[in-house]
Amino acid sequence: MVSRVIPVDPFDLVIFGGTGDLARRKILPGLFRRFCAGQMPPSARVIGAARSDLDTQGYRDLVADAIAEFNSDFDHEADQLKGFLDRLEYVAIDAKGQEGWADLQKLLQGTDRIEAYYFSVSPSLFGDLAERLQQWGMADANSRIVVEKPFGRDLQTARTLNATLAKYFDERQIYRIDHYLGKETVQNLMAVRFGNMLFEPLWNSQYVDHIQITVAETVGVGGRGEYYDKSGAMRDMVQNHLMQLLCLIAMEPPARFDPDAVRDEKLKVIRALDPVKPHHIARGQYQAEPCNEAHHPGYRTAVGDPRSRTESFVALKTHISNWRWAGTPFYLRTGKRMAARSSEITVVFKETPHSIFAEDAGRHRNVLSIRLQPNEGITLGVTIKEPGPGGMRLVDVPLDMTFADALGPEGAEQVDAYERLIMDVIRGNQTLFMRGDEVEAAWAWTDPIIQGWEARNDVPKPYDSGSDGPTDAFELMRRDQRQWREVSA
Ligand code: NAP
């Protein structure tokens, strides 16, 4: 199967923070892959913008190094790299001052094309950038801005940021990025749910016992300790990534696959979420790896605060109060320095109401697991007869839909989430981006949880590096006679 690449219209993409970590690791290598795939039109330009004193050649060298480092497993010809680098320009600019803005204006003047501005800078600069773009006449009806996470740190700050951006741009011009929504499997989740008759009739509390969403990382806070300690797993992961996955798995079928129809349904899910009771949450902080403390210090050492109360792990149970899901618990879990890097959504169906197989004493449940990483794919566990003459014993086996196996190497070609989302920005498709009211609703649900911890001076429980989290998380499940799926790669 050969994947189709549909070129986008001519564009200029200005990356504010074009020298930063995200630009070098994800945005620029991703754009290069789209260039090699033939998706970028010949006249498209990518303009790096940051304070560093570089000329265009210096910037091209920096991007060439980034591509060599972060795209090392991507096969390409030398002339493809040169072709891409030739599209790059650089402007030294200060988001907070006036330096460089006249140069950027001059570069963009007189072109009749899509203008996209990627705010890959600290969120404290988002408002300044939006204001400067307006002030220098670069915010017209054809322009759009891409805003990175975190989008606020609570409801109040998110509202303020939404209001600031709304002064200069319409909602249809604002692309709040959550790269989880750009993952192939996440979109496949919608295809599986709404493109098949098979699942939808069973997709409710009558047939679904519970749903688990796990996003486990093996890395610790690394060099981001200072930022992370002010944020924690709830703000950094649950409020955005896990919430988005929860919305997609739980939402009603939208009338059309169009941005507002999809986002309206997601918003209804967030607004129907029950508040989380304190005893339905487990928080944790990872400990140092024994015998390897120098390389893998514990959380508090890594963030430089021996009394830190910020969680690097959180697990919680919540319910969605609507007709479809009343009574079905949703368990969410995410953490750092866990046993494996794995993101998975698991739908556990109920047992059959009555077993006709007297010889079989086991409990059998269909389990649909949607893996976002690694080995993107979908597996459905079904119950069959154990082969052999041993009588009518039942065994659970997986029906595996790993994309690479099902579609072959070309069909399963994995386009990185950032590549897909940037092309969606150019196409003007907001379906996979969060709307302002969605982000605010997510904070409105998250805020009381965090405020409760603060009011109770809650201290996260320690957990071993390389484990599946603190014992409280297992207790959360055990009390409900359920268990977490093992975190495995
Ligand atoms: P970073 O490595 O610190 O890069 C920041 C960039 O902003 C640099 O290019 C810096 O260049 C530029 N900059 C700083 N002050 C500026 C100013 N006054 N005017 C113009 N440019 C300025 O940060 P990052 O990790 O790339 O993160 C960028 C954004 O993406 C943040 O909002 C972050 O939360 C978000 N994000 C990052 C990741 C990631 O993996 N890195 C993941 C998810 C979200 P100069 O110093 O040369 O000005």
Side-chain angles (χ1 to χ4, degrees):
M1 183 184 289
V2 177
S3 44
R4 278 189 313 141
V5 172
I6 303 167
V8 296
D9 291 337
F11 65 87
D12 283 334
L13 172 66
V14 179
I15 309 173
F16 293 108
T19 57
D21 177 67
L22 184 69
R24 287 183 300 108
R25 255 180 344 105
K26 290 287 181 187
I27 303 172
L28 289 155
L31 283 165
F32 176 52
R33 287 194 293 268
R34 288 299 89 209
F35 172 81
C36 293
Q39 200 162 22
M40 275 171 65
S43 61
R45 290 186 302 177
V46 176
I47 301 159
R51 290 169 308 176
S52 299
D53 185 19
L54 293 172
D55 59 11
T56 290
Q57 189 52 48
Y59 188 59
R60 290 177 181 175
D61 293 344
L62 177 145
V63 175
D65 289 348
I67 288 173
E69 185 174 354
F70 299 111
N71 246 349
S72 54
D73 56 351
F74 177 68
D75 260 351
H76 61 267
E77 308 291 332
D79 60 346
Q80 285 178 306
L81 181 61
K82 183 177 178 313
F84 178 70
L85 296 177
D86 285 348
R87 315 287 180 93
L88 302 182
E89 308 276 352
Y90 181 78
V91 177
I93 210 164
D94 186 354
K96 283 185 162 309
Q98 298 298 332
E99 302 91 279
W101 287 94
D103 298 333
L104 182 61
Q105 190 193 46
K106 198 166 145 207
L107 202 57
L108 298 178
Q109 234 163 27
T111 54
D112 180 22
R113 48 173 61 198
I114 296 159
E115 269 149 23
Y117 302 100
Y118 199 128
F119 293 5
S120 182
V121 292
S122 156
S124 62
L125 297 176
F126 292 171
D128 294 300
L129 286 175
E131 190 185 338
R132 295 282 179 283
L133 286 169
Q134 178 69 251
Q135 197 184 333
W136 286 87
M138 291 182 242
D140 61 26
N142 211 18
S143 53
R144 50 209 71 170
I145 57 171
V146 185
V147 186
E148 262 299 336
K149 79 164 207 182
F151 198 90
R153 57 173 281 106
D154 53 23
L155 177 57
Q156 189 49 48
T157 49
R159 271 191 185 144
T160 306
L161 187 48
N162 272 333
T164 305
L165 296 181
K167 278 200 260 173
Y168 310 109
F169 294 92
D170 289 344
E171 182 61 34
R172 64 170 181 82
Q173 297 177 287
I174 304 172
Y175 290 72
R176 294 174 195 79
I177 208 160
D178 182 330
H179 72 272
Y180 267 65
L181 293 181
K183 288 180 182 290
E184 184 74 18
T185 327
V186 171
Q187 288 160 76
N188 237 314
L189 175 57
M190 286 190 270
V192 166
R193 277 197 65 191
F194 305 127
N196 294 286
M197 198 56 215
L198 195 60
F199 296 110
E200 200 49 29
L202 306 179
W203 213 259
N204 55 57
S205 57
Q206 196 183 342
Y207 297 103
V208 175
D209 178 74
H210 73 278
I211 291 179
Q212 299 184 16
I213 302 176
T214 294
V215 177
E217 299 177 285
T218 49
V219 292
V221 294
R224 294 170 70 221
E226 198 186 332
Y227 156 77
Y228 191 91
D229 202 42
K230 293 194 197 102
S231 165
M234 195 73 192
R235 287 192 172 98
D236 194 47
M237 297 297 287
V238 178
Q239 185 273 343
N240 38 59
H241 304 319
L242 278 85
M243 181 71 76
Q244 289 296 319
L245 299 180
L246 172 68
C247 286
L248 295 178
I249 200 92
M251 71 185 189
E252 296 299 315
R256 297 167 305 282
F257 189 62
D258 87 13
D260 277 329
V262 171
R263 297 187 299 178
D264 285 346
E265 294 306 335
K266 281 163 52 193
L267 180 62
K268 285 185 208 161
V269 173
I270 306 175
R271 290 193 171 150
L273 278 174
D274 283 358
V276 181
K277 299 187 175 80
H279 63 285
H280 287 166
I281 310 182
R283 297 171 82 208
Q285 267 180 351
Y286 62 83
Q287 293 191 296
E289 199 170 281
C291 313
N292 199 6
E293 204 167 338
H295 284 106
H296 293 303
Y299 177 81
R300 289 179 169 186
T301 309
V303 301
D305 178 359
R307 293 148 72 93
S308 169
R309 292 183 169 177
T310 306
E311 75 288 352
S312 63
F313 173 98
V314 66
L316 61 86
K317 174 168 86 162
T318 186
H319 284 92
I320 299 172
S321 282
N322 62 18
W323 275 42
R324 184 186 285 266
W325 292 118
T328 300
F330 287 73
Y331 298 92
L332 275 48
R333 170 176 65 158
T334 182
K336 292 194 172 293
R337 301 250 351 105
M338 291 180 68
R341 175 173 170 262
S342 158
S343 299
E344 191 175 61
I345 305 171
T346 309
V347 181
V348 181
F349 290 90
K350 291 185 174 172
E351 289 173 48
T352 52
H354 164 70
S355 175
I356 62 167
F357 306 109
E359 289 173 46
D360 187 75
R363 294 177 77 182
H364 300 282
R365 286 174 166 171
N366 297 116
V367 175
L368 181 72
S369 93
I370 300 132
R371 269 184 93 83
L372 310 182
Q373 62 190 23
N375 310 325
E376 297 198 340
I378 298 177
T379 307
L380 176 64
V382 292
T383 303
I384 60 164
K385 178 191 169 296
E386 195 177 87
M392 197 59 178
R393 289 185 208 287
L394 303 185
V395 61
D396 297 329
V397 294
L399 282 182
D400 197 337
M401 293 173 268
T402 305
F403 298 155
D405 295 345
L407 303 174
E410 278 183 64
E413 182 214 349
Q414 297 296 319
V415 176
D416 181 80
Y418 278 92
E419 293 174 53
R420 180 190 319 280
L421 293 173
I422 294 170
M423 289 299 113
D424 275 0
V425 172
I426 306 301
R427 278 191 283 256
N429 184 349
Q430 288 185 306
T431 310
L432 300 175
F433 296 83
M434 293 178 293
R435 212 167 51 191
D437 50 5
E438 254 184 275
V439 178
E440 289 185 16
W443 279 121
W445 179 78
T446 315
D447 275 2
I449 301 174
I450 298 171
Q451 285 159 1
W453 292 336
E454 286 167 358
R456 293 191 302 277
N457 283 329
D458 192 83
V459 181
K461 300 280 171 56
Y463 63 93
D464 290 341
S465 279
S467 73
D468 282 4
T471 48
D472 282 10
F474 293 91
E475 198 45 43
L476 177 72
M477 278 291 198
R478 211 172 293 131
R479 281 201 303 263
D480 294 349
Q481 281 100 48
R482 298 189 175 99
Q483 56 186 35
W484 292 107
R485 298 257 295 177
E486 193 185 334
V487 176
S488 63

